[in-house]
Amino acid sequence: MKALLLKGAPHLNSERTTAYIMWHVCWALLPAALWGIWSFGLSALSVLVVCVGAACLADFGFTSRFHRLGSLSDGSAVITGLLLGMTLPPSVPLWMAALGSLVAIGLGKHAFGGLGQNLFNPALVGRAFLQAAFPAAMTRWTPPFLSDRFQSFLAGSWTIPFARPQLDAISGATPLGLLKFDHMSSHISDLFLGQTAGCIGETASVLVLTGGAYLALRRMLDWRIPIAVMGSVFVISGVANQLNANYPDGLFMLGSGGLMVGAWFMATDMVTSPVTTGAIWLFGVLIGFLICAIRFWGGLPEGVMYAILIANATVPLLERFTQPKAFGGQP
Amino acid sequence: MTADTFSKGLWRENPVFVQVLGMCPVLAVTNTAINSMAMGLATLFVLVMSSTLVSLLRHLIPKQVRIASFILIIATFVTAVDYVIQAISVELHKALGAFISLIVVNCIILGRAEAFASKNGVLDAMKDALGMGLGFTFGLLCLGGVRELFGSGSLFGWHVLGPHFEPWVLMVLPPGGFFTLAGWLWLIELRKGRAT
Amino acid sequence: MTSLRLVGVLTGLGVACALILTLVAQTTAPRIAANHAAYLQKAVLQVVPGGVTQEPLEWEGVQAFEVRNAGNELQGYAVVCETRGFQDVIAFIYGYDPNRESVTGMKVLSSRETPGLGDKIEKDAIFLEHVSNIAVPVENDALVHQVEFVKPGQRLHEWQVDAISGATISSRAVVKGLSDSTALWVPQLKKRRSP
């Protein structure tokens, strides 16, 4: 017997269901993820599989235990897992990846009430947890295109759960790390075409940009947010670079680190981004400013994660400041 | 008054998990089990003594100035204890000194003085303070044990998880305190059937 | 009338508390002073390994000790130093060995740093190992390198000290104190050794 479905107005039907959009976001992320697998090999593939698998498992567990709305078929858990995996270093132990997914879904999503209720981007909550708990493993980088990347795993991957990961023989540094600690710049074309070390899904900025632009054209994400983030980063770093050549220029800032993934796929998360037009612009500019501030003056080389998390926290405030006047209301 | 005067602080009205009072020391010093134990016992001691004194003086103190008087009593007592411990041993003071000055601002002490000791006889006040103090120590140990286990792989300084354990740095940092407290509160409410 | 009683009770209580505290402070003061002196003496020998006897130096502006070994030869010096910590002033003592030209140890004398966080300056193994071996060579009556403070795991040279994660402010305070104090006193101690 089919249960009677009771819903409040408006009773509009649209093809644009949550699931429809979520799965499109997944498809748009795939090119960059595949590039990550191509350049970092088996370990990167297993990190992505474990992250998505653990996120789905955790989401299924929490949804059924707490009788929450939503299910695996809406794809939101897959996105969380995929985004988390794409922002992890390739050599991260798989048990940490699984733990990160569990924290992302449990603490980032279900602690706030499940699908659509969370204040912070769940994938970033998981990543922030891992970064704070295991700073060493989370900042160990692998150079891309190692010759045996499809024959063997990196040393850290199959660490026994809760044990300290083994060190890899070969290690690399991200362009941002090189800039911050060794004052070395990288070629802009390498940054955009994914020739550098970094997190699994963030190296090929062009592919991320393409996926994001596709979603923006299909109106599945708000184009104002990535434009505001990228624009403000470009302008701020451009001015800083003109004043003092020690600061990186705009193109380097846009192509390096997790900026593209953050701007197109994390800041635009429908749940954690604002809805009023003014707040959307403010939100984007705030993220851009925070990214520059953390990268320029912070202790860590990369700041996209914290910038977006901090900006997530300001969303209710931004929306309150930018409430549109009701039609016919007092001026 | 019944036996409940003593036992209610242990679980049913536990200062940490039910009243959620005195969160400053609960979150700040519980990153190892030893620290939790020291803080808990020091608080227990001051709580019992100040409750006794407040109860003894309860007819003397007009209710308009009671808060100021309680704070005066507690602060005097804590400062005196601080001096005495220094006189006994500098090493002991270095181990406990920082905790002792934190105790003055612990609201569980003022809370018990205000809510119980100022309205009840000396014996009952002592029983209440003893129960609350033990409950507070138990709560701190629950947090400190979990945080030390994950954050350092040890318990009371013994490395129980082996040399290969990768410590979760987060757990000994302040956010670890919030996460652990939230986790315990959730588990307890879950057991009571109140959380979903 | 009632307000007078309020004032009276509070004043009485305040006076009583002040009296009790004065009494306690008076009676414990000599014991506390003796304890601290004994503790300082013990600390002096701890920061200069191999030291057996000690003698205070009659210097202005600093509390310093000359330490001799079992053969009554000069083993090193111990210098007391104060620095602004996270909560309050941190007082510590460090040892200096003019033969090895290095800082040989550090011990905190008094601190009110947060238990579990800031008080790692007394317990952190790596930090204590670093501060027990800081190169402070002297050239032309000045230090060749100031003692430097670097991020955890980034010590490259023997005049650098790693920060403690979770106790950055407190460890920075100690290293700042060390840096300032060694820059000022080590050249003079070195000169005293080889006039």
Side-chain angles (χ1 to χ4, degrees):
Chain A
M1 197 181 91
K2 212 173 166 190
L4 185 64
L5 188 65
L6 282 177
K7 269 186 169 176
H11 302 285
L12 288 174
N13 245 322
S14 162
E15 276 184 11
R16 292 279 170 103
T17 57
T18 306
Y20 181 83
I21 295 180
M22 293 289 180
W23 286 114
H24 265 81
V25 175
C26 285
W27 305 140
L29 275 170
L30 268 188
L34 288 174
W35 180 267
I37 296 169
W38 168 244
S39 54
F40 296 113
L42 278 180
S43 286
L45 175 67
S46 49
V47 167
L48 291 179
V49 170
V50 164
C51 275
V52 173
C56 289
L57 214 65
D59 196 53
F60 180 74
F62 283 111
T63 326
S64 46
R65 171 69 182 78
F66 302 121
H67 315 292
R68 287 274 161 75
L69 222 66
S71 69
L72 285 183
S73 61
D74 67 24
S76 62
V78 177
I79 293 192
T80 301
L82 192 59
L83 273 177
L84 175 66
M86 287 173 67
T87 55
L88 295 179
S91 67
V92 75
L94 296 178
W95 70 267
M96 288 185 192
L99 182 73
S101 279
L102 180 69
V103 171
I105 296 289
L107 188 67
K109 185 174 171 187
H110 285 281
F112 289 95
L115 181 64
Q117 309 288 322
N118 44 303
L119 190 57
F120 298 99
N121 187 315
L124 286 179
V125 171
R127 193 185 193 282
F129 178 87
L130 290 180
Q131 173 87 55
F134 312 110
M138 288 293 288
T139 48
R140 195 171 291 139
W141 308 101
T142 312
F145 307 115
L146 292 174
S147 55
D148 60 346
R149 63 188 187 277
F150 287 109
Q151 278 94 50
S152 60
F153 286 92
L154 297 169
S157 294
W158 289 97
T159 311
I160 306 162
F162 302 109
R164 182 169 294 134
Q166 282 185 311
L167 293 175
D168 282 295
I170 311 165
S171 73
T174 63
L176 283 167
L178 285 173
L179 183 79
K180 181 137 217 154
F181 301 125
D182 304 317
H183 307 288
M184 275 165 58
S185 197
S186 309
H187 282 296
I188 299 296
S189 60
D190 286 355
L191 295 177
F192 280 92
L193 298 178
Q195 307 294 313
T196 60
C199 297
I200 292 168
E202 68 176 27
T203 55
S205 303
V206 164
L207 294 178
V208 181
L209 187 70
T210 318
Y214 164 74
L215 288 182
L217 287 177
R218 294 286 312 268
R219 308 271 160 135
M220 288 186 198
L221 60 76
D222 196 322
W223 58 272
R224 298 183 196 90
I225 297 174
I227 294 300
V229 174
M230 288 162 48
S232 55
V233 166
F234 191 80
V235 169
I236 293 172
S237 54
V239 171
N241 181 249
Q242 285 300 314
L243 295 175
N244 181 345
N246 283 338
Y247 292 122
D249 60 61
L251 275 180
F252 179 90
M253 290 286 282
L254 290 185
S256 57
L259 194 134
M260 285 292 173
V261 180
W264 288 96
F265 290 96
M266 288 174 156
T268 53
D269 175 7
M270 292 181 173
V271 182
T272 57
S273 58
V275 292
T276 59
T277 315
I280 288 172
W281 286 111
L282 281 174
F283 176 73
V285 172
L286 178 66
I287 293 177
F289 169 75
L290 287 171
I291 290 174
C292 290
I294 298 174
R295 282 188 181 179
F296 289 169
W297 305 302
L300 291 168
E302 175 59 309
V304 172
M305 170 176 75
Y306 293 120
I308 297 178
L309 284 173
I310 294 169
N312 281 162
T314 67
V315 166
L317 199 66
L318 292 180
E319 283 181 336
R320 182 188 284 188
F321 289 151
T322 54
Q323 279 301 316
K325 273 196 279 295
F327 182 66
Q330 291 293 312
Chain B
M1 287 295 153
T2 56
D4 191 44
T5 312
F6 169 71
S7 63
K8 69 181 186 302
L10 297 182
W11 182 252
R12 197 165 50 79
E13 291 181 23
N14 185 290
V16 177
F17 295 131
V18 180
Q19 299 182 45
V20 200
L21 277 180
M23 286 300 106
C24 170
V26 168
L27 295 168
V29 303
T30 54
N31 48 13
T32 64
I34 287 280
N35 277 354
S36 310
M37 186 81 152
M39 185 66 190
L41 291 181
T43 309
L44 170 73
F45 186 63
V46 173
L47 185 55
V48 171
M49 298 309 279
S50 63
S51 276
T52 311
L53 268 177
V54 166
S55 176
L56 274 174
L57 297 173
R58 69 187 188 279
H59 296 304
L60 213 76
I61 298 167
K63 73 174 190 302
Q64 292 94 326
V65 293
R66 67 190 189 283
I67 303 281
S69 312
F70 298 161
I71 288 285
L72 207 57
I73 292 171
I74 296 167
T76 307
F77 193 77
V78 170
T79 316
V81 169
D82 195 49
Y83 278 126
V84 170
I85 289 183
Q86 276 192 65
I88 295 170
S89 152
V90 179
E91 298 278 350
L92 186 67
H93 184 258
K94 269 165 60 71
L96 290 177
F99 297 102
I100 289 170
S101 45
L102 272 178
I103 293 173
V104 185
V105 292
N106 190 336
C107 52
I108 185 72
I109 294 173
L110 184 64
R112 288 336 284 175
E114 163 75 4
F116 198 92
S118 63
K119 296 172 186 146
N120 290 283
V122 177
L123 257 175
D124 280 330
M126 279 169 79
K127 273 197 263 177
D128 171 78
L130 204 61
M132 287 291 165
L134 286 175
F136 189 70
T137 312
F138 167 72
L140 289 186
L141 272 178
C142 285
L143 263 81
V146 171
R147 289 180 69 186
E148 188 181 349
L149 197 65
F150 283 105
S152 320
S154 57
L155 211 52
F156 288 103
W158 288 354
H159 289 271
V160 287
L161 291 181
H164 297 296
F165 178 75
E166 168 83 356
W168 304 21
V169 180
L170 179 78
M171 293 304 272
V172 295
L173 299 180
F178 285 94
F179 288 151
T180 317
L181 179 64
W184 276 114
L185 287 176
W186 182 59
L187 278 180
I188 287 167
E189 294 298 295
L190 210 59
R191 256 206 64 181
K192 289 181 184 160
R194 285 214 297 242
T196 51
Chain C
M1 259 346 254
T2 41
S3 62
L4 257 181
R5 183 167 167 250
L6 299 186
V7 174
V9 168
L10 260 188
T11 318
L13 207 59
V15 170
C17 287
L19 271 177
I20 294 171
L21 278 184
T22 322
L23 203 68
V24 172
Q26 286 284 341
T27 42
T28 52
R31 282 289 302 274
I32 292 175
N35 276 345
H36 276 289
Y39 187 75
L40 182 63
Q41 294 210 331
K42 224 171 83 188
V44 166
L45 298 181
Q46 272 174 11
V47 294
V48 182
V52 176
T53 56
Q54 55 173 319
E55 205 178 305
L57 289 178
E58 305 288 323
W59 281 15
E60 291 249 330
V62 69
Q63 205 180 354
F65 302 86
E66 188 183 278
V67 182
R68 292 178 177 278
N69 63 13
N72 205 27
E73 291 161 334
L74 181 73
Q75 185 72 25
Y77 298 95
V79 182
V80 177
C81 173
E82 285 188 346
T83 181
R84 180 97 227 142
F86 183 59
Q87 303 270 6
D88 202 348
V89 171
I90 305 174
F92 64 92
I93 187 167
Y94 65 88
Y96 166 64
D97 183 343
N99 300 319
R100 278 170 51 203
E101 299 212 294
S102 75
V103 172
T104 52
M106 187 279 296
K107 190 164 173 62
V108 176
L109 297 175
S110 72
S111 92
R112 287 187 177 273
E113 302 305 282
T114 322
L117 296 171
D119 72 347
K120 281 192 204 163
I121 51 172
E122 301 176 45
K123 295 170 192 155
D124 191 88
I126 296 172
F127 184 73
L128 290 180
E129 187 196 312
H130 285 187
V131 294
S132 309
N133 188 19
I134 306 174
V136 281
V138 178
E139 230 168 66
N140 300 330
D141 281 349
L143 283 193
V144 181
H145 305 284
Q146 285 262 347
V147 179
E148 280 173 9
F149 182 70
V150 294
K151 290 205 194 75
Q154 293 190 4
R155 187 191 210 208
L156 295 173
H157 307 287
E158 284 204 326
W159 61 86
Q160 294 174 331
V161 178
D162 274 9
I164 306 173
S165 78
T168 313
I169 297 177
S170 307
S171 52
R172 184 194 291 134
V174 169
V175 176
K176 171 94 169 44
L178 258 178
S179 179
D180 293 349
S181 177
T182 48
L184 186 62
W185 297 109
V186 161
Q188 300 195 35
L189 288 169
K190 177 81 182 166
K191 206 157 67 176
R192 184 175 187 278
R193 164 101 173 105
S194 48

